[in-house]
Amino acid sequence: MLPIFIEIIEMKNNVTEFIFLGLTQDPVKKKILFAVFLLFYIATMIGNLLIILTIKTSPTLGTPMYYFLTQLSLADFCYSSTIAPKLILNSLLKKETISFNECMTQVVAVHFFGCMEILILVLMAFDRYVAICKPLHYPIIMNQKVCGNLMIVVLMLSVLHSSTQILIALSLPFCGPNVIDHYFCDLQPLLNLVCIDTYVFKLLVLFNSGIECLLSFLILMMSYILILYSLRNHSAEGKRKALSTCTSHIIVVILFFVPCIFIYARPPINYPVDKMVSVFYTIGTPLLNPLIYTLRNAEVKTAMEKLWSKKAS
């Protein structure tokens, strides 16, 4: 149904494809970017798949925290795959293009998996809050059924968010200019190409994406502040383990949300640094997440070692 709707909208526009300016037009720099982003993408795929495989095969990693970590790795895997392959391919081409249909599909996918990642991070913070602040009630509150239902809510909200984005994108009249000063399709750069006043559309983007990022970030930071405050009554060993876990979560939250807030939660003005900031949360963060969660989590590292030992034997 969506492809048919996109084709109808496309017929009403003069634009059938878009041209990316990308990160650079220098042929030598583009080759360097190709090699760097290809390595990043391969490492991202391997890292996130390894986390999923480790958690799925390890009987000691069956808690809700690792269930949500599996979902986060899956979201990172898909999120990176909506942007990185096209960016890598375009780095080899003199003219970087994307069809209208592919562009609209990318808008949907980027916002669906991006929203999914944000909401999973919120669930992970809630899980840690219950585990540390309400330990006696934790098995009841965070049982398997509840976790499954929470993920269904996450998927529904992600569909709602991405649907809003694509409806805005499909309602934009593209009357001629088709050069996007970016390396992937998103509403902000697309708004620069339409032939009507975009003030209302920019406000919609600000409220739908920017406010969502900012509120989620504030909720997360408040949750972790409450968690850290509650640790004052725990034993030294309990504090050490909780701090190790929460620190990993806080690092991931900051790395993902600060660039997103910079891009989306501000007045609709384009800056030259925007593309580099976008690289950080679209390419860098999906790679850093598995590194952070494995290097700072003894249980995951131990499970990975056991998995490798089984494969080697």
Side-chain angles (χ1 to χ4, degrees), residues 282-294:
T282 58
I283 306 296
T285 303
L287 171 63
L288 291 174
N289 283 356
L291 291 175
I292 292 169
Y293 281 117
T294 53

Side-chain angles (χ1 to χ4, degrees), residues 12-281:
K12 297 180 180 179
N13 291 301
N14 297 327
V15 174
T16 58
E17 72 172 12
F18 296 100
I19 301 172
F20 290 131
L21 290 183
L23 294 169
T24 180
Q25 292 298 305
D26 184 274
V28 177
K29 291 181 179 178
K30 289 180 75 169
K31 291 179 180 178
I32 295 173
L33 288 177
F34 166 79
V36 171
F37 288 137
L38 180 60
L39 289 174
F40 270 47
Y41 182 59
I42 293 173
T44 299
M45 298 298 99
I46 293 174
N48 284 294
L49 286 175
L50 184 57
I51 285 183
I52 295 171
L53 180 62
T54 301
I55 295 174
K56 289 292 185 183
T57 57
S58 174
T60 62
L61 302 180
T63 62
M65 181 178 75
Y66 295 111
Y67 169 75
F68 292 131
L69 179 55
T70 301
Q71 302 302 320
L72 181 66
S73 293
L74 179 60
D76 276 329
F77 181 96
C78 297
Y79 183 64
S80 181
S81 296
T82 63
I83 299 172
K86 188 67 177 178
L87 174 60
I88 293 167
L89 177 61
N90 282 341
S91 298
L92 296 175
L93 304 176
K94 185 176 181 180
K95 185 179 180 182
E96 304 178 23
T97 62
I98 186 170
S99 71
F100 184 91
N101 287 6
E102 289 175 330
C103 184
M104 295 300 108
T105 302
Q106 193 173 62
V107 170
V108 173
V110 165
H111 282 274
F112 176 82
F113 293 112
C115 182
M116 183 178 172
E117 181 161 353
I118 288 173
L119 295 175
I120 291 172
L121 288 172
V122 172
L123 291 184
M124 293 176 75
F126 175 70
D127 172 74
R128 289 302 84 202
Y129 171 79
V130 177
I132 295 171
C133 300
K134 309 284 185 182
L136 297 178
H137 299 90
Y138 181 75
I140 300 173
I141 297 174
M142 299 302 294
N143 60 59
Q144 186 176 1
K145 183 178 180 181
V146 170
C147 292
N149 289 337
L150 287 173
M151 277 309 304
I152 292 174
V153 173
V154 165
L155 293 175
M156 291 173 63
L157 291 176
S158 298
V159 169
L160 179 62
H161 171 75
S162 58
S163 297
T164 304
Q165 296 292 311
I166 191 59
L167 287 175
I168 294 173
L170 291 175
S171 63
L172 297 175
F174 298 102
C175 307
N178 68 333
V179 179
I180 302 176
D181 189 14
H182 218 298
Y183 61 90
F184 72 98
C185 285
D186 202 2
L187 282 180
Q188 280 94 333
L190 286 173
L191 285 171
N192 295 324
L193 307 181
V194 302
C195 51
I196 61 171
D197 181 64
T198 58
Y199 179 76
V200 174
F201 291 106
K202 289 178 178 178
L203 284 180
L204 289 173
V205 173
L206 175 63
F207 281 103
N208 192 39
S209 297
I211 301 302
E212 175 187 320
C213 284
L214 187 58
L215 286 178
S216 298
F217 178 71
L218 293 175
I219 290 171
L220 283 165
M221 295 313 296
M222 287 177 62
S223 299
Y224 286 116
I225 288 172
L226 289 174
I227 291 171
L228 295 176
Y229 179 74
S230 70
L231 290 177
R232 71 191 191 284
N233 299 322
H234 286 61
S235 64
E237 178 63 22
K239 287 180 181 179
R240 185 196 63 78
K241 187 174 181 180
L243 281 172
S244 177
T245 302
C246 290
T247 302
S248 300
H249 291 195
I250 291 171
I251 292 172
V252 169
V253 166
I254 291 173
L255 290 176
F256 183 78
F257 276 92
V258 172
C260 285
I261 291 171
F262 177 79
I263 294 296
Y264 294 106
R266 71 175 199 215
I269 302 172
N270 296 319
Y271 297 104
V273 75
D274 284 356
K275 286 189 280 187
M276 293 309 300
V277 173
S278 297
V279 167
F280 195 80
Y281 72 84

